[in-house]
């Protein structure tokens, strides 16, 4: 056996022990360790394979069985776990082990989108439940309000009150605590944690010199700080296969330590001096990024690699990886079921085992060495991790390799400049801003590549999730690899791939006939919100009514429709699920003006709309009932609100009833857009004898129960569009409203089921084309 592989069986055995204990029980962990130890002993006794390999297995397996088995058993019988099963109220004292991570909630009604709560890992010091006090330690996950908790640091001790809930299976966490109220009796964080937070805050402050999206990306790229990262960028990076850049990994440490090594070698420092310098950089970066699991994984792997450097074995990457797996899983068995850990190990193994061979093959066929290595690295990492990614997400990114290839040249300089900016910021903010300005183009390039790659048709395609999906894709890739190696089957494989493309692209990758020729109105699938596009007779030019709750969906909808110019963007009212995508529309499209109604509530939304319009240099205009707006092929009437509505105690209802009500005259007929008007708003229109008849109705308020039968009867729609989010918690749309519409002969379409929905003109009246999800 190749000496490089001597530690691999031991690493796999330790990992298997952890999997057995976490997914089943501690006896399974002990049994797995015993079997691995027995296999090693038999191999050692009979001389099978390499002696060091068998010896490592005999030593590592029983240690893993004992260590992991005991910890799994302690977690299983922990008193907090039984209290969590009964939903007990507790008072708990714990030490935070990670930085609080924000949980972003989607905006709806008067509540803005943003971080309302945080999650943070902690180690129990003691807890009280049902009059009993326990001082048994254990890992606990705190889900706490953002206020008061978001700025805490690892190492701080806090007292929290709340309700226990059971943890997810496959974890050593003994309970989840749903915290009520602010932290109590907090002490100061360790000095190194406070110093690290000062550096991170300096980087965030210096990054504000950039535009908002690059300003949020740079701290995420450098130290994994995603606090200011745009949700749109996150989603685009996931689709394009660049999401790994948003979490600290071995790549960050490799870049930083590599830069230090290059600098030291330029001054002719010896191997041990280089290793010492890189070790200092490694420790400093771990303190800067914080004790997150991904950071600690990367640190251990980097430490073992540096040790190999000191010993003069720079090429011992695989033994270093195997040693890292053993050390990390023994230290934290929960890594055995951590997808991030699996992805990290598999990707590193691909870079060690496959990338050099593939680069050599390409080099032998005439590809320049630099280009061969640049192609081999993302190709190996993407293909080997694809089964895991597919199993976790249920999707396969088809643009990951080219996207990673395009961003590879800028990741290293952006990372190094970001670290330097963080270090310099406390000393001189101006110098830090200069460094950030230099890193700005690189961050912008990353966003551009992620955005353009995610816009490619079929950038990400659906796949089976879970173990079955992962195994199935692994089998497909192995079969394809085997066929490629055999000369006789290469032509057959190429023909099969061409056939698959010809069949799958027209039927599933590219939606047939989308956008349909001659579309007049499209209800965009933007989740739990509204966004309606009205076509003019000029290609690429359309009026937009509302923007949905988030930037990504409306940007994708407009891109698919080919809309580049928006003469008027109407916000029916200022609730979060109607204005959340405004930033994307203003940034990506030419917008003539933004129109609102007479209501400027809620105030935070009004200020946000004003700020964004001012930043984009777009005029804000106010629409009132009776106005008539015309463009080639499109006329829009403003029907309401007609006057001051009856006051209500519910502020959300009052804002809903102040929605602009528009009726568009299109080639498909009249289209009534009602915003979120409820009973009072509908009564206002009917009481004013306003003609609300229309062939197409955008059903009020996502099909909520607050639609009067008299109003629906007055509209008499032939098509009813319900803009609603899949699985929403508001009960939208209401079944009685849907039945009332269908009972009057309307065809009811829902964006949560039908996706983007287009209405076209026809000889017999309007017709519909759905873009299925």
């Amino acid at each position: 056996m190749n000496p490089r592989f001597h530690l691999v069986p031991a690493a796999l055995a330790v990992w298997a022990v952890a999997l057995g204990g976490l997914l089943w029980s501690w006896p399974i962990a002990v049994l797995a360790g015993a079997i691995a130890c027995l296999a090693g002993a038999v191999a050692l006794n009979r001389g099978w394979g390499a002696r060091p390999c068998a010896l490592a297995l005999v030593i590592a397996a029983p240690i893993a069985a004992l260590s992991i088995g005991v910890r799994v058993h302690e977690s299983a019988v922990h008193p907090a776990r039984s209290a969590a099963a009964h939903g007990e109220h507790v008072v708990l004292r714990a030490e935070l082990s990670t930085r609080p991570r924000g949980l972003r909630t989607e905006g709806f009604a008067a509540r803005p989108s943003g971080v309302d709560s945080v999650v943070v890992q902690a180690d129990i010091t003691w807890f009280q439940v049902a009059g009993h006090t326990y001082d048994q330690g254990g890992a606990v996950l705190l889900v706490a309000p953002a206020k008061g908790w978001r700025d805490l640091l690892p190492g701080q001790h806090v007292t929290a009150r709340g309700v226990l809930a059971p943890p997810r299976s496959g974890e050593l966490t003994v309970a989840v605590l749903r915290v009520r109220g602010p932290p109590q009796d907090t002490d100061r964080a360790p000095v190194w944690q406070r110093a690290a937070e000062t550096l991170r805050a300096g980087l965030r402050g210096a990054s504000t010199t950039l535009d908002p999206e690059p300003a949020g990306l740079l701290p995420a790229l450098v130290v994994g700080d995603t606090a200011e990262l745009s949700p749109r960028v996150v989603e685009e990076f996931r689709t394009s296969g660049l999401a790994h850049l948003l979490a600290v990994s071995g790549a960050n440490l490799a870049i930083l330590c590599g830069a230090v090594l290059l600098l030291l070698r330029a001054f002719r420092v010896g191997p041990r001096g280089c290793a010492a310098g890189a070790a200092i950089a490694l420790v400093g970066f771990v303190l800067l990024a914080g004790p997150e699991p991904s950071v600690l994984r990367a640190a251990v792997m980097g430490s073992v690699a540096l040790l190999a450097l000191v010993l003069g074995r720079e090429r011992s990457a695989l033994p270093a990886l195997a040693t890292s797996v053993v050390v990390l899983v023994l230290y934290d068995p929960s890594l055995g079921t951590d997808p991030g850990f699996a992805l990290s190990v598999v990707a590193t193994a691909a870079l060690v085992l496959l990338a050099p061979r593939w680069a050599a093959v390409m080099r032998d066929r005439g590809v320049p060495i630099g280009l061969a290595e640049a192609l081999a690295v993302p190709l190996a990492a993407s293909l080997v991790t694809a089964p895991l990614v597919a199993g976790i997400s249920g999707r396969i990114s088809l643009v990951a390799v080219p996207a990673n290839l395009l961003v590879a040249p800028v990741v290293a300089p952006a990372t190094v400049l970001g670290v330097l900016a963080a270090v310099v910021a406390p000393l001189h903010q101006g110098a830090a801003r200069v460094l950030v300005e230099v890193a700005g183009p690189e961050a912008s390039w990353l966003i551009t590549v992620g955005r353009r790659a995610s816009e490619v048709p079929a950038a990400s395609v659906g796949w089976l999730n879970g173990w079955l999906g992962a195994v199935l894709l692994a089998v497909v890739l192995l079969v394809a690899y085997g066929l490629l190696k055999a000369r006789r089957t290469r032509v057959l494989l190429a023909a099969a791939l061409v056939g698959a493309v010809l069949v799958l692209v027209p039927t599933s990758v590219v939606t047939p006939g989308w956008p349909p020729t001659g579309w007049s109105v499209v209800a965009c699938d933007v989740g739990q919100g509204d966004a309606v596009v009205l076509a003019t007779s000029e290609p690429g030019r359309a009026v937009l009514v509302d923007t949905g709750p988030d930037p990504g969906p409306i940007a994708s909808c407009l891109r698919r429709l080919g809309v580049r110019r928006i003469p008027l963007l109407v916000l029916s009212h200022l609730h979060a699920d109607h204005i959340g995508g405004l930033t994307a529309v203003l940034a990506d499209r030419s917008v003539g003006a933004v129109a609102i109604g007479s209501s400027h509530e809620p105030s935070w939304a009004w200020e946000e709309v004003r700020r964004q319009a001012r930043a984009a240099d777009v005029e804000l205009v106010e629409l009132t009932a009776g106005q008539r707006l015309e463009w080639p092929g499109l006329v829009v009437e403003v029907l309401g609100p007609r006057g001051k509505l009856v006051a209500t105690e519910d502020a959300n209802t009052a804002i809903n009833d102040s929605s602009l009500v528009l009726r568009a005259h299109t080639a498909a007929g009249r289209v009534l857009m009602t915003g979120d008007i409820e009973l009072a708003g509908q009564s206002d229109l009917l009481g004013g004898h306003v003609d609300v008849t229309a062939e197409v109705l955008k059903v009020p308020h996502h099909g909520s129960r607050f639609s009067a039968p008299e109003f629906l009867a007055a509209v008499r729609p032939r098509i009813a569009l319900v803009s609603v989010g899949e699985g929403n918690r508001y009960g939208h749309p209401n079944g009685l409203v849907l039945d009332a519409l269908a009972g009057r002969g309307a065809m009811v379409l829902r964006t949560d089921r039908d996706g983007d929905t287009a209405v076209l003109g026809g000889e017999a009246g309007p017709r519909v084309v759905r873009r299925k999800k």
Side-chain angles (χ1 to χ4, degrees):
M1 177 184 287
N2 190 321
R4 298 170 65 197
F5 291 89
H6 284 170
L7 296 177
V8 172
L12 294 176
V14 172
W15 202 340
V17 170
L19 281 172
L22 293 170
L23 296 180
W24 288 282
S25 63
W26 69 267
I28 301 299
V30 174
L31 178 62
I35 292 173
C37 181
L38 180 62
V42 171
L44 195 63
N45 182 55
R46 300 194 177 186
W48 296 342
R51 181 179 179 83
C53 175
L55 189 61
L57 196 59
V58 168
I59 294 173
I63 293 176
L66 179 61
S67 172
I68 296 173
V70 168
R71 295 180 65 178
V72 172
H73 177 262
E74 289 178 345
S75 173
V77 300
H78 198 285
R81 188 178 287 269
S82 59
H86 296 91
E88 298 281 3
H89 291 258
V90 301
V91 178
L92 178 146
R93 183 75 174 170
E95 179 184 355
L96 304 188
S97 55
T98 63
R99 296 205 311 269
R101 178 172 55 87
L103 294 177
R104 187 179 183 277
T105 57
E106 189 175 85
F108 187 77
R111 186 191 69 198
S113 61
V115 175
D116 291 334
S117 57
V118 297
V119 294
V120 57
Q121 291 279 355
D123 295 317
I124 297 173
T125 303
W126 55 260
F127 68 97
Q128 295 176 344
V129 56
H132 298 282
T133 300
Y134 301 89
D135 59 1
Q136 188 172 340
V140 64
L141 181 70
L142 307 181
V143 181
K147 185 177 181 181
W149 287 86
R150 192 172 187 177
D151 297 328
L152 297 180
L153 296 173
Q156 285 188 276
H157 291 83
V158 299
T159 300
R161 299 173 182 272
V163 178
L164 289 177
R168 293 185 303 181
S169 60
E171 295 182 350
L172 287 179
T173 302
V174 297
V176 175
L177 178 65
R178 302 186 185 279
V179 179
R180 295 178 177 176
Q184 300 173 353
D185 303 325
T186 58
D187 60 5
R188 297 191 73 188
V191 62
W192 57 87
Q193 292 292 352
R194 299 200 303 271
E197 179 56 27
T198 299
L199 297 180
R200 291 191 294 266
L203 176 59
R204 289 193 298 268
S207 297
T208 57
T209 189
L210 304 175
D211 290 335
E213 287 187 334
L217 176 61
L218 189 60
L221 177 69
V222 175
V223 293
D225 185 350
T226 59
E228 304 299 327
L229 191 59
S230 163
R232 181 185 181 189
V233 172
V234 174
E235 185 59 35
E236 289 168 345
F237 272 45
R238 285 174 181 162
T239 302
S240 58
L242 299 177
H244 60 92
L245 297 176
L246 304 180
V248 174
S249 65
N252 299 72
L253 283 172
I255 290 168
L256 184 60
C257 292
V260 171
L261 289 173
L262 286 175
L263 181 63
L264 293 176
R265 285 176 175 172
F267 288 95
R268 299 184 179 180
V269 178
R272 296 194 177 186
C274 288
I280 293 172
L282 185 150
V283 172
F285 184 79
V286 169
L287 293 176
L288 173 64
E292 307 297 318
S294 62
V295 180
L296 297 178
R297 290 198 304 263
V300 172
M301 291 185 181
S303 299
V304 177
L306 289 175
L307 181 61
L309 176 62
V310 171
L311 298 176
R313 303 177 62 189
E314 292 95 332
R315 298 180 183 274
S316 302
L318 188 59
L321 176 61
T323 303
S324 301
V325 171
V326 172
V327 172
L328 285 166
V329 176
L330 287 177
Y331 172 74
D332 183 6
S334 62
L335 291 175
T337 56
D338 183 358
F341 178 69
L343 287 169
S344 177
V345 172
V346 171
T348 304
L351 299 183
V352 170
L353 298 175
L354 298 181
R357 296 183 181 181
W358 292 0
V361 169
M362 287 186 277
R363 186 174 63 249
D364 293 342
R365 298 192 176 186
V367 180
I369 183 171
L371 179 59
E373 291 177 350
L375 287 170
V377 168
L379 184 62
S382 297
L383 288 179
V384 173
T385 58
L388 285 174
V389 173
I392 295 166
S393 65
R395 302 199 67 81
I396 302 173
S397 175
L398 302 183
V399 297
V401 172
N404 279 279
L405 182 63
L406 288 171
V407 302
V410 304
V411 172
T415 301
V416 173
L417 288 167
V419 171
L420 290 175
V423 173
V424 170
L427 304 175
H428 195 285
Q429 189 71 11
R433 288 181 178 271
V434 171
L435 291 167
V436 167
E437 288 281 4
V438 178
E442 289 92 328
S444 297
W445 174 248
L446 287 168
I447 292 172
T448 299
V449 172
R451 184 155 296 161
R452 296 295 172 258
S454 67
E455 292 174 352
V456 172
S460 176
V461 296
W463 190 261
L464 290 174
N465 60 4
W467 288 103
L468 180 60
V471 171
L472 179 60
L473 184 57
V475 170
V476 170
L477 291 175
L478 287 173
V479 170
Y481 180 71
L483 292 175
L484 281 173
K485 290 193 69 175
R487 293 184 178 181
R488 296 180 179 180
T489 57
R490 286 177 187 169
V491 175
L492 178 63
L493 179 62
L497 288 174
V498 171
V501 169
L502 292 176
V503 172
L504 294 177
V505 168
T507 59
S508 62
V509 173
V510 178
T511 304
W514 193 267
T517 302
W519 64 272
S520 294
V521 56
V522 170
C524 295
D525 178 17
V526 292
Q528 184 65 14
D530 273 6
V532 178
V533 188
L534 301 169
T536 68
S537 60
E538 300 176 14
R541 192 167 184 239
V543 170
L544 175 63
V545 181
D546 292 325
T547 65
D550 284 307
I554 184 59
S556 298
C557 182
L558 294 174
R559 174 181 52 79
R560 289 190 293 264
L561 293 174
V563 174
R564 298 178 300 275
R565 294 174 296 154
I566 299 174
L568 185 66
L569 193 166
V570 181
L571 300 175
S572 64
H573 60 299
L574 301 183
H575 272 165
D577 51 323
H578 294 254
I579 68 169
L582 179 61
T583 176
V585 180
L586 293 177
D588 299 345
R589 304 293 185 279
S590 173
V591 179
V594 174
I596 61 170
S598 58
S599 173
H600 295 172
E601 296 294 333
S603 58
W604 67 264
W606 167 237
E607 292 301 325
E608 181 67 15
V609 169
R610 289 179 62 192
R611 184 189 66 78
Q612 292 189 28
R614 184 167 55 248
D617 195 24
V618 173
E619 183 183 5
L620 265 176
V621 298
E622 187 173 308
L623 299 181
T624 57
Q627 285 184 276
R628 181 183 176 90
L629 310 169
E630 297 187 24
W631 297 270
L634 176 66
V635 176
V636 173
E637 303 173 275
V638 183
L639 303 184
R642 300 190 59 79
K644 190 171 182 179
L645 299 174
V646 177
T648 176
E649 295 181 359
D650 188 342
N652 283 333
T653 297
I655 295 171
N656 286 339
D657 282 325
S658 69
S659 296
L660 286 169
V661 179
L662 310 175
R663 185 168 64 175
H665 296 261
T666 72
R670 296 163 295 180
V671 181
L672 185 67
M673 290 159 291
T674 56
D676 280 355
I677 59 170
E678 298 184 10
L679 300 177
Q682 296 163 23
S683 177
D684 175 56
L685 294 172
L686 296 179
H689 304 291
V690 177
D691 180 12
V692 292
T693 55
E695 284 70 37
V696 180
L697 169 66
K698 199 290 296 180
V699 180
H701 200 188
H702 321 293
S704 79
R705 60 192 177 92
F706 299 112
S707 284
E710 299 81 7
F711 179 76
L712 300 179
V715 179
R716 299 196 302 276
R718 300 179 63 177
I719 295 172
L721 303 175
V722 183
S723 186
V724 65
E726 184 176 6
N728 69 85
R729 63 177 184 271
Y730 309 102
H732 297 163
N734 179 265
L736 294 177
V737 172
L738 299 184
D739 291 343
L741 288 164
R744 296 181 181 278
M747 176 190 292
V748 179
L749 299 124
R750 302 167 47 167
T751 57
D752 61 337
R753 296 180 179 177
D754 301 304
D756 298 343
T757 305
V759 182
L760 299 76
E763 294 182 1
R767 57 192 181 91
V768 171
V769 175
R770 306 171 179 87
R771 183 184 183 274
K772 288 289 186 180
K773 286 177 171 284

